[in-house]
Amino acid sequence: MWRKGYLWGFLLIILLLLGVKQSTIQAEAADQRPVMLVYDSKNIAEHGDLDLDCCQRLLTSLGLPVKTVQLSQYHAHLLETSHCQGVITMVNWAQVNSRNQAFERDRARFTGVKLHIGSGLQTDERKSLGGHFKTLVHQQLKVHQGQANQLLSTNKTLLVNDKRAGNAMSVGWLTNQNMPAESYSYGVKVGNAGFLPEIGTDGVSINLAGQLIAKLFKLDRQPQLPLLTITGVTPYTKMNHLKHLIDCLSSQGYPFALSIVSVESNTDLAAFHRYTKILRYAEKSGGVIFLSPSTETGTQRLNEAQLRSVFQTELASLGADRVLPIGVSAPGYWNRSQRRQAAVLSPASHVLLRPDTHLKLEEKPVEAEPVVTNSQVFPTSIVGIPFDAFETATYQNKIQFFQSTALLVKMPADTTEINRLMQRLQGSKLRWFDPVRDQLETSLKIGTVSYEYQAGQYLVNHQVVFDLDADIENFATDAKPAESDSWMNRVIQWQSHALLWLFAGIGLVLTGLLVLGWRIYRRKFIRNSGQKKG
């Protein structure tokens, strides 16, 4: 009897566990609805375009698809028909005070997550957030996340929550330089409503934004370790400097990734093989590689098939030399372009989204973005944040990252910059994500070829690669490669030598004639001068 009771109890527990697991999977599937990001202006003069790009990439790294639309282009019921799980209002240019009555009505009726970034809170938003807000004008503020803190790099006007509602949750806080210092909430969450004074360019403020967004959308996110990533590695990088950097990072125990650029043509040249030899050395030293697609130059834009073809060719030429990228690295705007998403980003399980390049005020983009852009999510989306963004932060080892993050360092130009980087890494005392220790698993499939990475082990088409140097002819020696001793080469070499001697002989003859002519002219001139004197 007791045994039957235990049996039924055991079966009941199993069924409950299966039910919980199934509901969790369904909940994750339901959460793939997009988040609508509505912004007033890119405000290029004050780098508002970069703030917008950062917000989009931050949402993507948290697994949230993003539908972005400018406030002036929003039309009635778009929020409802897009079936969004949340809406974010981002004010980049408060002085203009842009309004859209249709959007404000739709947002007021919306029952999902609502986040406001910047100033310009409307009546319905203030009512949802409660508490009291005040404007700080040109004050030097410090932002805090636990023990970590950082002085904000700009002292622009900020709207802050100086008195929270009773049911409000604070994420981080701000302090000013007054004596005694006054404290304000940084991120505020009240139910499904939230507020941030800005996204900003400072590392701590970006992390707090990610932490608040994760709480608003009820994402089960534990603190993660950042991935140290060296960007700007190209075939034109000085290979001795790159090797020296790899040696420094490896010898001091820093796991790292390289964001590299390759080429579509001239992959049979010795220079390309020297490049891939160093990249294999990085792989053998514990580094991993993200391949960055080639940038389209000029006014020409490739269609989806052309982009896929170029990327596939680059990937194949690297793979032939046993350089096996674990993922794709691209600027944020690539994830707002449908053809780039489909051709290059979608085949990768891990996509590193780097910051966009800032546009100059008078500069017009070569390719205008559509009115509505859609940023898709990937199995793992990584937001790239410059390591410099944390340079002024104190207690950097206490900073918490709630989104998948890569801290980006531009490839040092010389040994002095390499030494300076190593000093900064030691001074930060940050713990870094280790692909081997932390059991990283990735996949990248283009056409019929697939590359996989499993905690330090590389696979090509599901076959383990035991030796990265196997079956590779060593083209990457420092010496000039020996020419093939064929009949044609010997003929060409003989012709070159013959022409060289011919031109040398002609030069000697002309020199002799010049000397002879000068002597004849001089004798004649001296004789005529003597006759005249006599």
Side-chain angles (χ1 to χ4, degrees):
M1 185 72 181
W2 284 103
R3 291 181 179 177
K4 289 183 179 180
Y6 283 134
L7 179 62
W8 283 111
F10 179 73
L11 290 175
L12 182 61
I13 291 172
I14 294 295
L15 290 173
L16 286 173
L17 289 173
L18 289 173
V20 169
K21 185 176 181 181
Q22 185 176 4
S23 64
T24 303
I25 293 174
Q26 290 173 349
E28 289 175 354
D31 283 343
Q32 292 307 301
R33 294 173 298 162
V35 175
M36 181 171 288
L37 174 57
V38 182
Y39 67 98
D40 60 340
S41 168
K42 289 189 176 180
N43 193 9
I44 295 173
E46 297 184 9
H47 296 188
D49 55 330
L50 299 186
D51 292 342
L52 179 63
D53 167 65
C54 182
C55 185
Q56 291 166 325
R57 293 183 297 113
L58 192 60
L59 290 164
T60 303
S61 69
L62 289 165
L64 298 169
V66 188
K67 180 185 288 291
T68 305
V69 57
Q70 189 169 3
L71 183 63
S72 60
Q73 301 297 322
Y74 182 93
H75 58 80
H77 309 298
L78 179 61
L79 185 57
E80 180 183 357
T81 57
S82 299
H83 305 289
C84 297
Q85 60 172 311
V87 58
I88 297 176
T89 307
M90 188 172 188
V91 177
N92 269 336
W93 201 352
Q95 294 83 351
V96 176
N97 193 26
S98 299
R99 302 289 294 272
N100 184 318
Q101 298 297 328
F103 171 64
E104 291 176 18
R105 285 194 300 269
D106 290 350
R107 183 182 60 196
R109 290 194 297 262
F110 185 67
T111 58
V113 173
K114 291 186 275 191
L115 172 63
H116 185 100
I117 302 174
S119 58
L121 277 173
Q122 301 302 319
T123 304
D124 62 302
E125 296 176 300
R126 288 182 180 271
K127 184 177 179 180
S128 299
L129 292 166
H132 183 266
F133 291 83
K134 68 181 291 187
T135 300
L136 303 180
V137 180
H138 302 303
Q139 291 193 26
Q140 191 69 62
L141 299 170
K142 186 178 288 186
V143 61
H144 301 257
Q145 183 194 44
Q147 289 181 274
N149 62 80
Q150 184 175 22
L151 206 62
L152 293 182
S153 55
T154 59
N155 57 350
K156 60 184 180 182
T157 301
L158 285 182
L159 180 69
V160 298
N161 181 236
D162 65 329
K163 186 180 292 185
R164 299 196 309 269
N167 59 340
M169 175 190 295
S170 179
V171 176
W173 69 96
L174 292 164
T175 56
N176 58 20
Q177 302 298 308
N178 296 345
M179 295 298 292
E182 296 174 318
S183 178
Y184 313 98
S185 296
Y186 187 76
V188 179
K189 176 185 179 297
V190 181
N192 63 352
F195 170 79
L196 280 169
E198 64 172 358
I199 287 288
T201 57
D202 302 292
V204 175
S205 61
I206 294 173
N207 275 3
L208 287 173
Q211 185 177 351
L212 177 65
I213 292 170
K215 288 183 179 296
L216 278 171
F217 288 93
K218 296 180 173 61
L219 305 176
D220 185 16
R221 287 282 178 149
Q222 300 300 318
Q224 304 178 43
L225 298 177
L227 176 65
L228 175 61
T229 306
I230 311 300
T231 64
V233 178
T234 75
Y236 307 103
T237 299
K238 292 183 179 180
M239 296 300 119
N240 57 333
H241 290 160
L242 179 56
K243 184 178 183 301
H244 179 53
L245 175 61
I246 294 169
D247 288 335
C248 290
L249 293 171
S250 178
S251 63
Q252 298 191 33
Y254 291 108
F256 65 94
L258 301 180
S259 174
I260 72 162
V261 175
S262 189
V263 290
E264 179 188 11
S265 57
N266 298 326
T267 56
D268 57 338
L269 299 180
F272 179 77
H273 296 294
R274 283 194 292 270
Y275 181 49
T276 57
K277 181 179 181 181
I278 297 297
L279 296 180
R280 283 200 310 278
Y281 182 71
E283 291 175 326
K284 292 184 293 184
S285 299
V288 293
I289 290 174
F290 287 86
L291 177 58
S292 180
S294 299
T295 304
E296 299 160 286
T297 58
T299 58
Q300 181 183 8
R301 289 295 174 263
L302 305 180
N303 59 35
E304 181 181 329
Q306 292 170 327
L307 282 169
R308 184 179 291 107
S309 175
V310 170
F311 189 68
Q312 187 170 351
T313 301
E314 293 179 354
L315 200 61
S317 61
L318 289 171
D321 277 8
R322 293 294 191 269
V323 176
L324 309 175
I326 68 162
V328 177
S329 165
Y333 74 87
W334 275 69
N335 198 29
R336 300 191 295 271
S337 167
Q338 187 174 359
R339 72 177 192 278
R340 295 185 179 101
Q341 290 171 348
V344 177
L345 304 184
S346 295
S349 66
H350 287 61
V351 175
L352 194 168
L353 295 172
R354 308 192 312 272
D356 282 346
T357 304
H358 172 61
L359 290 173
K360 296 180 181 178
L361 187 60
E362 67 279 2
E363 181 182 3
K364 292 183 178 180
V366 177
E367 180 184 17
E369 286 189 348
V371 173
V372 178
T373 62
N374 294 281
S375 302
Q376 73 175 68
V377 295
F378 310 94
T380 299
S381 306
I382 307 169
V383 59
I385 303 175
F387 186 39
D388 289 343
F390 296 88
E391 187 172 10
T392 58
T394 59
Y395 295 102
Q396 294 181 22
N397 58 327
K398 301 296 183 181
I399 296 173
Q400 293 185 322
F401 300 83
F402 288 88
Q403 67 282 337
S404 300
T405 306
L407 295 188
L408 310 178
V409 177
K410 187 177 179 181
M411 174 65 204
D414 51 39
T415 54
T416 302
E417 290 190 8
I418 292 175
N419 294 335
R420 189 180 301 123
L421 170 61
M422 299 310 298
Q423 292 173 359
R424 286 186 56 198
L425 292 175
Q426 293 169 4
S428 71
K429 298 181 181 178
L430 277 168
R431 290 186 64 232
W432 299 96
F433 180 85
D434 187 330
V436 177
R437 181 196 63 211
D438 297 315
Q439 299 293 303
L440 177 65
E441 294 187 3
T442 72
S443 64
L444 175 58
K445 184 175 181 180
I446 294 286
T448 59
V449 179
S450 68
Y451 298 152
E452 295 172 82
Y453 177 88
Q454 297 177 0
Q457 183 71 70
Y458 290 91
L459 295 87
V460 176
N461 292 336
H462 311 296
Q463 300 295 318
V464 176
V465 178
F466 292 102
D467 185 1
L468 291 171
D469 287 327
D471 302 323
I472 294 178
E473 186 175 351
N474 188 13
F475 292 104
T477 57
D478 293 331
K480 185 178 178 180
E483 298 181 5
S484 175
D485 192 22
S486 64
W487 176 82
M488 183 61 71
N489 281 338
R490 289 198 299 271
V491 170
I492 294 173
Q493 189 176 20
W494 178 84
Q495 289 178 341
S496 299
H497 290 161
L499 288 172
L500 182 63
W501 284 109
L502 176 63
F503 287 127
I506 292 174
L508 289 173
V509 171
L510 290 175
T511 302
L513 290 174
L514 181 62
V515 172
L516 181 62
W518 179 77
R519 286 180 176 177
I520 293 172
Y521 175 79
R522 187 170 178 271
R523 274 195 223 103
K524 185 177 179 181
F525 177 78
I526 292 172
R527 185 180 302 113
N528 290 339
S529 298
Q531 289 174 357
K532 288 178 181 179
K533 287 179 181 180

